[in-house]
């Protein structure tokens, strides 16, 4: 009753208000609410939902893909076909979900709604396209009846092949067929042809036809056998031809005749041939979700709005549906309407009045004071806190006034203040299962992927019977941060130190206080402290050039007092090689002729012992000196050089003649042994593989001075930290401390490298019937059989190769040496040619491992057996037929000798089935293929899932297995072992819980956890209080836990609140979100509306097969405020508006007229592929040129590498691409380093797969080619004579490059501007390149006028470059016609803001930044010069004059600000304070017009320097207030500016009228004094402006097919100007 009474009372209040406000039907019509709707579509068309479901399932587990196909094919027969999109979606989920456990099944549903697998299907279409076009016409491979029909298809495909971005992605159905099979040599369209091909006799694949390449993402049927011919089926589930091909191929795969690979594609035109649900989604527009749309309230200080009436353009259907259930100022209007339906229009008008009156963009200071705390209180007290947070931060301007009136609870404020003692106010952080994620860059796709990988792990743990609590602990346990600070423990007597900073008299005057290291110094300055903090140990062969040069470098650095302790570790590479090849040569050592390196080491040790270390080093230096002085400097070092140097060195101090000493030393055995031990010590350390290397405190670096100084600078902060915390004091031996903590006994770059090793999850190794884990028996070190083993090495051994046997024996030596925590399992593989003796060996090995591994001499027995097998069966070819008997006898003989029962072997080997062993080998081969993608006959080591492959058997020793064990244990297994040891196992038979069982669990868990990508950083969220100011959502059963600290009134929170709600809906993670608002606000924290776009079931039609896709919808937006639209998209997306009638920069909804909803459609134009290019121990290779393309068209886009982090970016679409160095200087000097080995010789390319919407970040390392180490990449003109012979420097070679880095070019011609050419419309001469940027309809109107003014003042060809990011669709529609009409060229260019560069929030500042920050990379490399002209500028002179001007070798040319308008003196900020001091007499320039010599700009790294200045300055909100102008002026001491003559730029605000007549360009600068609107100023200041404007508008109207509105005459009457002012008044209402 009470409720009824209250709502009735509300109705009365509403009616009273309606009367008081005079709101009736007439008012309602005038102030109807307006809405905004935004959609974002992909450039490619949608693919069938059914195929997307298959791809999503294969991400869970590869088998699920095939299971789903089987389930669907069986269901097709009996299920009733659904007719609607929603019905089909439900049906697909009905068959797909049961394959997964929850919550993976719910996540599958959401991923399907999100259409996140569609890029993978686009990739398959690209491969299908290439498959068809790779068969030339008239080829024998086609069956005759298809030849003619397929001709057209191939022509079509040829046309689209080089279209990188696949504007026309839809694959045509070839010859009316919907499926085809590609075998590399043939293309089959009928199953009958396939059957004939399968039945043919197996013939070796000829070289002329390569088998189709198989990629990691491919679906290979699990029954396929390795080594069989590859058959790739292109077709779609749901078509009849697919069913026929599929059944035939599965049968053939089971018989071992083919390797069946399926790539799902549904060619256009085949939709009719497919069951209804098989085509839902195909060919439709694909609307994406997972992004945000912002409508920001715009600052209209200078009233930059176009006054042209908005034309009726493309009208989309008006989707307005009123949502009346929302609370508006305390009224729920849906209830009132139920009671008074006859007052609908009045009540709606009242609602709109309430809504429009609540929009606030300013509040008084006292209202702002507690706004953050009030918001936190409102959210926490709400019934659905996440929804409440989303509603507040997404509609903040409409809600803020009611928030500010809310009574604040002190407990909320106190708790927030207490938390802010621990975390800065307004700071946002988030962690997923303990690992921090970057809240600034997080997007829905990334978070779903991170959640998905943790859910998959939880699923695996559940299968291992690991209790839920322990699984959560494992998931939230972070591995220790992966530092590459593994140090080689080189401590031994073989190290010869040159100096000792603590004891030598030379350093007596240096200070010994260790705290000096904490004192600040200038960059590059050394700290001279009398303590051995830095040890540089050169490991070198003294007979090599590089070794001898290193000695001179050491002496030079030593003499220059570098604060470092120097030492050498000498070895003979020849002696080491001799020992590797013939390790049993110890007895015959004396017979070997002594090599020259050993001789030098021997003499060095003698001199050191008798004459001191200084003379010993002098001896090495003398060797080098004599070698250089002798004529044959290029020749090898000879004995007489060494002996001569010895004589020169010891002569002054020797008591007996040096020659006698030499003869005496020849017989000295002890020195010889010492030198050989030194060589073997280096070999043991693993450093003998490098000619020279350098250890800085044990860290391996390049032996160059540059690398040494870099390493010293890197090591200093580590030592500073330890000194600061008291871990190092004046008594600490720094070297001992570092090497004891993280020292390793051996260095192998394959095991310890900066790049992340590759991992594979061994869960499939263990689960499922007939899994390999059951077949493997492990070997252990003696007496450790029953110990728990935390590290498992699986050795994949090719039994038919010598290298395989070497690896096997090293594995045995590793166990014989003794390993407490490691065990070894052997996976034997073989080529098909494995003979009987190989199978016999495998059997004997298996018997031993499974039955006798507890016996004492088992490892020795296996080693002897391996040695015998290698000698007699691999190296010598024994006739196979007789061999098993002899082999068995030998096995029994060795068994007897080692105390093993020979009878057991004899009976087992007599009865064994060769076929069974072969089957086992095939099973292992299949496993290795699926896990590693490796064909049979491989040697690899898998250590707890870490893959070491390929193995270099000559240098891979048992020591490397020990190294792998210690590295893996420290970095990845130790913490897992500690958690697993706590487990109280349930639901498992206690007898099964053995050390082997737990070792297996640790192996599987650590391998699975190593494959997930996550941050190793965490934060201590638990110290924050959460009683009154936190959102807590508990779910004990969830494997996902989210900790967050959020400022609810921040742009980050606008995005995250939407993402977290999605997560809660589909995954139900437990969440703890501590709210951390800014405590004292001076301004509104949010001045925008925001919508996060997420798909729902309702996007799928209930009536037909349409999928509408998600859209952002803003209901009842303020009518009289000017709004600007921004998209907040995932980092790799490059989007542009494609349908927008209205100006999205200046949205004023009251101007919409009858239209209820302003609509805009954006398009995902491309994904951005980014990367970092590095060169070990060097700065990034600045200016290195990269190209990307397909195999058939390798150069589709290009870019160059920045010095900043070696960053580069390119535009791509989903597909398979190849990245390589560009022809020319880049590929002459460098090669891409792959698989940790330098691929010399052929130019290598890097395979890049783009198959999701998350883009890709590529880490690539390059190395200089042999002999080119000292050449520079960037050679200024005239510096390199060698190149002139070849025809010009590298810059001129660039001109041959395909135009268009990251550009779309409607009329691209060669952009080489250095050649005279004949342009359109009779224009002649060198092309003038002009670049500009515009945003919003007003500036686009100015831009057209600027273009006309340039063209009317020159007869030369002109090419305009426009930054595409902010141009409106109408402008992009008009510009091609304008170019044709007026005879100019143009190109649209774009560049995605790099993630590492400090971002600007405001659109205007982003546009300013684009004017200056990316000039070196945004244009094609062939462009040599460009002029920037502001859009609102009018040109009165020939720009050719400026283009040809000599800039005196400077990269930039600007006009200085005029100073003759005295009224503005108060605004000339550069005349005083900071700017006056900084400029030091140089002029401050205006940025409305400038020239860029791009050639000089790139050569001098001007772009990199400007970005460094920007990064430093932009973090201070008070600096760079005019970003595009302040930055080059600030940097002009480093990036010099040529000052242009004053007449090149005149603007009324700063220049007096006296100089206006000479002006060559006029800019419509903003006037800070009068703030005159732009249009008004343009008409008043520039006489020709109205005529140019009229011409541009007439042309635009003609193209757009609109009625020409009356254009104002140039001579204005009083009436017309007053009319203008009234228009300006209407604009001023929109001012904030």
């Amino acid at each position: 009753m009470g409720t009824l009474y209250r709502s009735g009372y509300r109705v009365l209040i509403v009616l009273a208000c309606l009367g008081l406000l005079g709101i009736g039907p007439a008012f309602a019509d005038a102030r109807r609410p307006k809405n905004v709707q935004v959609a974002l579509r992909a450039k490619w068309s949608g693919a069938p939902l059914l195929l997307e479901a298959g791809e999503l399932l294969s991400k869970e587990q590869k088998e699920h893909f095939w299971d789903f196909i089987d389930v669907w094919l069986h269901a097709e027969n009996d299920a009733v076909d659904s007719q609607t999109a929603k019905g089909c979606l439900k049906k697909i989920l009905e068959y797909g979900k049961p394959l997964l456990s929850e919550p993976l099944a719910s996540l599958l549903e959401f991923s399907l709604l999100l259409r996140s697998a569609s890029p993978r299907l686009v990739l398959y279409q690209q491969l299908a396209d290439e498959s068809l076009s790779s068969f030339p016409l008239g080829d024998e491979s086609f069956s005759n009846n298809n030849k003619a029909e397929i001709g057209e298809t191939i022509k079509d495909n040829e046309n689209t092949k080089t279209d990188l971005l696949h504007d026309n992605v839809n694959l045509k159905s070839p010859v009316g067929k919907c499926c085809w099979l590609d075998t590399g040599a043939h293309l089959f369209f009928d199953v009958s042809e396939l059957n004939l091909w399968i039945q043919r006799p197996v013939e070796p694949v000829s070289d002329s036809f390569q088998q189709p390449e198989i990629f990691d993402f491919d679906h290979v049927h699990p029954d396929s056998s390795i080594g069989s011919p590859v058959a790739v089926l292109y077709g779609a589930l749901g078509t009849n031809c697919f069913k026929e091909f599929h059944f035939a191929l599965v049968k053939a795969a089971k018989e071992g005749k083919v390797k069946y690979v399926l790539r799902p594609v549904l060619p256009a035109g085949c939709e009719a041939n497919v069951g209804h649900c098989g085509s839902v989604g195909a060919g439709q527009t694909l609307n994406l979700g997972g992004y945000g749309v912002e409508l920001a309230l715009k600052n209209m200080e200078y009233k930059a709005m176009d006054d042209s009436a908005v034309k009726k353009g493309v009208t989309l259907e008006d989707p307005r549906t009123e949502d009346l259930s929302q609370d508006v100022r305390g009224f729920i209007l849906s209830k009132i309407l139920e009671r008074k339906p006859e007052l609908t229009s009045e009540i709606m008008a009242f609602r709109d009045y309430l809504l429009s009156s609540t929009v606030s963009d300013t509040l008084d200071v006292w209202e702002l004071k507690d706004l953050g705390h009030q918001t936190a209180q409102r959210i926490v007290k709400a019934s659905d806190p996440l929804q409440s947070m989303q509603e507040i931060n997404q509609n903040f301007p409409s809600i803020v006034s009611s928030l500010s009136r809310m009574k604040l609870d002190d407990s909320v404020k106190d708790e927030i203040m207490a938390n802010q003692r621990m975390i800065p106010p307004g700071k946002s952080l988030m962690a997923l299962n303990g690992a921090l994620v970057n809240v600034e860059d997080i997007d829905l796709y990334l978070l779903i992927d991170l959640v998905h990988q943790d859910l998959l792990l939880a699923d695996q743990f559940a299968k291992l019977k690991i209790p839920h609590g322990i699984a959560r602990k494992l998931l939230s346990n972070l591995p220790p941060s992966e530092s590459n600070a593994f140090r080689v423990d080189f401590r031994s007597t073989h190290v010869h130190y040159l100096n000792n900073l603590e004891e030598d008299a030379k350093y007596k005057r240096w200070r010994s206080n260790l705290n000096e290291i904490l004192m600040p110094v200038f960059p590059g300055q050394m700290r001279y402290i009398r303590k051995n903090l830095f040890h540089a140990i050169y490991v070198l062969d003294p007979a090599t050039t590089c070794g001898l040069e290193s000695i001179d470098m050491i002496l030079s650095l030593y003499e220059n007092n570098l604060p470092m302790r120097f030492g050498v570790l000498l070895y003979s590479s020849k002696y080491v090689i001799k020992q590797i090849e013939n390790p049993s040569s110890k007895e015959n050592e004396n017979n070997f002729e002594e090599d020259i390196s050993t001789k030098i080491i021997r003499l060095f040790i003698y001199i050191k012992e008798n004459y001191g270390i200084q003379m010993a080093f002098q001896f090495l230096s003398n060797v080098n000196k004599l070698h250089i002085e002798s004529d044959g400097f290029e020749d090898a070092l000879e004995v007489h050089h060494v002996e001569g140097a010895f004589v020169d060195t010891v002569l002054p101090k020797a008591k007996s003649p040096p020659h006698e000493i030499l003869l005496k030393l020849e017989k000295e055995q002890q020195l010889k042994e010492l030198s050989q031990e030194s060589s073997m010590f280096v070999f043991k350390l693993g450093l003998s593989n490098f000619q020279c290397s350098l250890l800085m405190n044990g860290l391996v670096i390049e032996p160059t001075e540059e690398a040494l100084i870099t390493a010293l600078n890197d090591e200093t902060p580590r030592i500073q930290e330890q000194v600061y915390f008291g871990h190092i004091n004046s008594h600490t031996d720094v070297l001992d401390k570092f090497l004891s903590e993280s020292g390793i006994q051996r260095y192998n770059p394959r095991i310890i490298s900066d790049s992340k090793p590759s991992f594979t999850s061994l869960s499939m190794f263990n689960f499922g019937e007939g899994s390999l884990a059951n077949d493997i028996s492990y070997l252990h070190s003696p007496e450790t059989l029953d110990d728990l083993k935390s590290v498992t090495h699986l050795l994949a051994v090719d039994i038919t190769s010598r290298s395989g046997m070497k690896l096997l024996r090293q594995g045995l030596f590793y166990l014989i040496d003794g390993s407490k925590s490691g065990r070894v399992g052997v996976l034997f593989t073989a080529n098909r040619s494995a003979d009987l003796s190989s199978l016999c060996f495998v059997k004997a090995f298996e018997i031993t491992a499974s039955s006798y591994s507890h016996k004492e001499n088992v490892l020795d027995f296996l080693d002897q057996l391996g040695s015998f097998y290698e000698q007699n069966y691999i190296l010598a070819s024994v006739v196979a037929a007789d061999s098993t008997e002899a082999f068995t006898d030998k096995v029994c003989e060795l068994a007897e000798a080692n105390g093993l029962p020979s009878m057991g072997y004899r009976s087992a080997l007599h009865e064994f089935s060769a076929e069974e062993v072969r089957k086992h080998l095939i099973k292992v081969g299949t496993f290795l293929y699926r896990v590693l993608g490796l064909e049979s006959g491989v040697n690899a080591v898998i250590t707890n899932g870490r893959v070491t492959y390929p193995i270099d058997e000559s240098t891979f020793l048992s020591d490397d297995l020990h190294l792998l064990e210690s590295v893996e244990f420290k970095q990845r297994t130790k913490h897992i072992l500690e958690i697993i040891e706590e487990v109280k196992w349930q639901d498992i038979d206690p007898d099964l819980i053995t050390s082997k069982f737990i070792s297996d669990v640790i192996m599987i868990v650590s391998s699975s956890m190593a494959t997930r990508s996550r941050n190793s950083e965490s934060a201590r969220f638990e110290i924050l209080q959460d009683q009154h100011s936190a959102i807590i959502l508990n779910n004990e059963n969830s494997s996902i836990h989210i900790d967050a600290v959020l400022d609810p009134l921040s742009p980050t929170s606008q995005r995250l609140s939407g993402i977290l709600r999605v997560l809660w809906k589909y995954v139900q993670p437990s969440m703890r979100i501590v709210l951390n608002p800014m405590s004292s606000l001076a301004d509104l924290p949010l001045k925008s509306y925001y919508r996060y776009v997420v798909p729902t079931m309702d996007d799928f039609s209930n009536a037909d097969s349409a999928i509408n896709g998600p859209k952002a919808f803003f209901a009842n937006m303020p009518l009289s405020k000017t709004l600007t639209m921004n998209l907040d998209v995932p980092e790799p997306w490059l989007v542009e508006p494609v349908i927008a009638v209205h100006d999205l920069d200046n949205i004023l909804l009251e101007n919409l007229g009858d239209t209820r909803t302003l609509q805009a459609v954006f398009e995902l134009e491309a994904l951005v592929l980014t990367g970092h290019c590095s060169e070990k121990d060097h700065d990034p290779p600045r200016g290195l040129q990269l190209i990307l393309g397909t195999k058939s068209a390798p150069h589709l886009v290009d870019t160059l590498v920045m010095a900043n982090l070696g960053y580069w970016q390119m535009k791509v679409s989903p597909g398979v691409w190849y990245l390589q160095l560009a022809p020319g200087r880049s590929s002459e000097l460098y090669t891409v380093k792959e698989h940790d080995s330098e691929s010399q010789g052929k130019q290598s390319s890097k395979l890049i797969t783009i198959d999701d919407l998350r883009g890709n970040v590529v880490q690539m390392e390059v190395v200089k080619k042999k002999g080119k180490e000292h050449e520079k990449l960037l050679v200024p003109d005239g510096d390199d004579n060698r190149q002139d012979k070849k025809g010009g420097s590298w810059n001129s070679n660039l001109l041959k490059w395909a135009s268009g880095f990251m550009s779309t070019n409607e009329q691209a011609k060669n952009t080489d501007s250095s050649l005279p050419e004949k342009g359109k419309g009779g224009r002649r001469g060198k092309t003038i390149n002009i670049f500009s940027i515009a945003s919003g309809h007003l500036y686009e109107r100015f831009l057209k006028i600027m273009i006309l003014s340039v063209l009317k003042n020159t007869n030369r060809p002109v090419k305009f470059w426009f930054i595409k990011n902010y141009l409106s669709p109408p402008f992009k529609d008009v510009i091609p016609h304008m170019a044709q009409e007026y005879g100019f060229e143009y190109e649209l260019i774009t560049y995605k803001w790099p993630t590492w560069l400090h971002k600007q929030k405001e659109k205007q500042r982003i546009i300013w930044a684009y004017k200056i920050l990316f000039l070196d990379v945004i244009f094609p490399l062939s462009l040599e010069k460009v002029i920037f002209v502001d859009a609102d500028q009018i040109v009165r002179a020939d720009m050719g004059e400026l283009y040809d001007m000599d800039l005196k070798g400077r990269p930039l040319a600007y006009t200085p600000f005029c100073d003759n308008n005295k009224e503005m003196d108060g605004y000339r900020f550069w005349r005083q304070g900071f700017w006056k001091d900084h400029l030091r007499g140089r002029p401050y320039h205006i940025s409305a017009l400038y020239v860029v010599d791009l050639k000089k700009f790139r050569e001098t790294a001007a772009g990199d320097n400007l970005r460094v200045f920007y990064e430093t300055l932009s973090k201070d909100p008070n600096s760079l207030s005019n970003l595009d102008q302040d930055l080059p002026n600030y940097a002009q001491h480093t990036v010099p500016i040529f000052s242009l003559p004053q007449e090149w730029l005149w603007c009324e605000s700063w220049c007096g009228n006296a100089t206006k007549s000479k002006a060559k360009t006029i800019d419509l600068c903003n006037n800070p004094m009068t703030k005159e609107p732009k249009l008004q100023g343009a008409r008043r200041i520039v006489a020709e402006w109205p005529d140019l404007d009229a011409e541009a508008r007439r042309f635009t109207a003609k193209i757009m097919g609109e009625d020409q509105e009356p254009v104002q005459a140039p001579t204005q009457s009083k009436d017309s100007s007053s009319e203008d002012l009234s228009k300006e008044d209407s604009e001023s209402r929109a001012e904030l």
Side-chain angles (χ1 to χ4, degrees), residues 995-1014:
S995 59
K996 178 187 183 304
F997 169 81
I998 295 174
S999 301
D1000 284 352
V1001 168
I1002 290 171
M1003 171 181 78
I1004 291 160
V1005 169
S1006 60
S1007 74
S1008 300
M1009 286 182 64
T1011 55
R1012 70 172 171 168
S1013 55
R1014 71 196 305 236

Side-chain angles (χ1 to χ4, degrees), residues 830-846:
N831 294 325
R832 290 191 156 189
S833 58
D835 56 29
L836 211 50
S837 55
S838 303
L839 303 178
C840 234
F841 176 79
V842 172
K843 187 66 185 170
F845 197 98
E846 278 179 7

Side-chain angles (χ1 to χ4, degrees), residues 309-445:
V310 175
K311 314 295 184 297
K312 292 273 179 281
V314 182
T315 310
L316 308 172
E317 86 284 4
D318 196 339
R320 179 68 194 123
T321 50
E322 295 287 352
D323 177 12
L324 302 170
S325 58
Q326 287 184 341
D327 173 319
V328 181
R329 286 282 190 99
F331 294 104
I332 308 268
L333 295 163
S334 54
K335 298 271 172 64
I336 300 168
L337 274 172
E338 283 170 21
R339 289 172 175 69
K340 295 284 179 187
E342 70 277 9
L343 294 175
T344 300
S345 61
E346 286 88 345
I347 289 169
M348 292 307 292
F350 175 60
R351 176 175 189 267
D352 297 335
Y353 172 78
L354 287 176
L355 280 166
S356 60
S357 65
T358 59
V359 177
S360 303
D361 42 43
T362 53
L363 280 183
D364 293 317
V365 176
W366 60 87
E367 291 179 292
L368 281 168
K369 189 166 63 81
D370 289 325
L371 191 57
H373 300 142
Q374 289 164 317
T375 305
Q377 180 176 315
R378 164 82 66 95
I379 292 168
V380 173
K381 298 268 197 295
S383 58
D384 183 344
L386 279 179
Q387 183 183 352
S388 170
M389 178 159 74
Q390 188 176 20
E391 280 175 3
I392 289 170
N393 59 31
Q394 299 201 352
N395 300 297
F396 187 69
S398 299
I399 292 172
V400 60
S401 54
S402 71
L403 271 175
S404 64
R405 288 194 297 273
M406 199 171 101
K407 188 174 185 313
L408 181 63
D409 186 340
D410 285 344
S411 59
V412 175
K413 187 171 181 175
D414 294 346
E415 183 170 285
I416 291 172
M417 301 296 268
N419 283 339
Q420 288 178 345
R421 292 192 200 108
M422 257 88 77
I423 189 162
K427 172 89 173 162
S428 291
L429 286 174
M430 183 165 129
L432 175 69
N433 281 342
L436 285 178
V437 291
N438 184 345
V439 286
E440 299 302 320
D441 296 336
I442 193 74
D443 61 70
L444 184 58
Y445 295 91

Side-chain angles (χ1 to χ4, degrees), residues 499-508 530-532 565:
N499 59 339
N500 185 334
L501 276 70
E502 293 171 17
E503 293 171 8
D504 294 358
K506 182 176 180 175
Y507 309 108
K508 208 167 170 179
R530 196 172 176 186
K531 180 142 182 74
N532 294 322
R565 188 175 193 195

Side-chain angles (χ1 to χ4, degrees), residues 443-479:
D443 61 70
L444 184 58
Y445 295 91
L446 177 57
L447 196 62
I448 290 286
D449 277 4
L450 290 172
V451 167
H452 180 248
Q453 67 177 2
D454 278 13
L455 289 177
L456 275 178
L457 282 175
D459 198 41
Q460 285 178 16
F461 298 161
K463 286 179 186 166
L464 287 168
K465 302 284 195 297
I466 293 175
H468 179 70
I470 296 287
R472 270 187 86 151
K473 206 167 179 181
L474 280 169
L475 287 171
S476 57
N477 200 289
L478 293 168

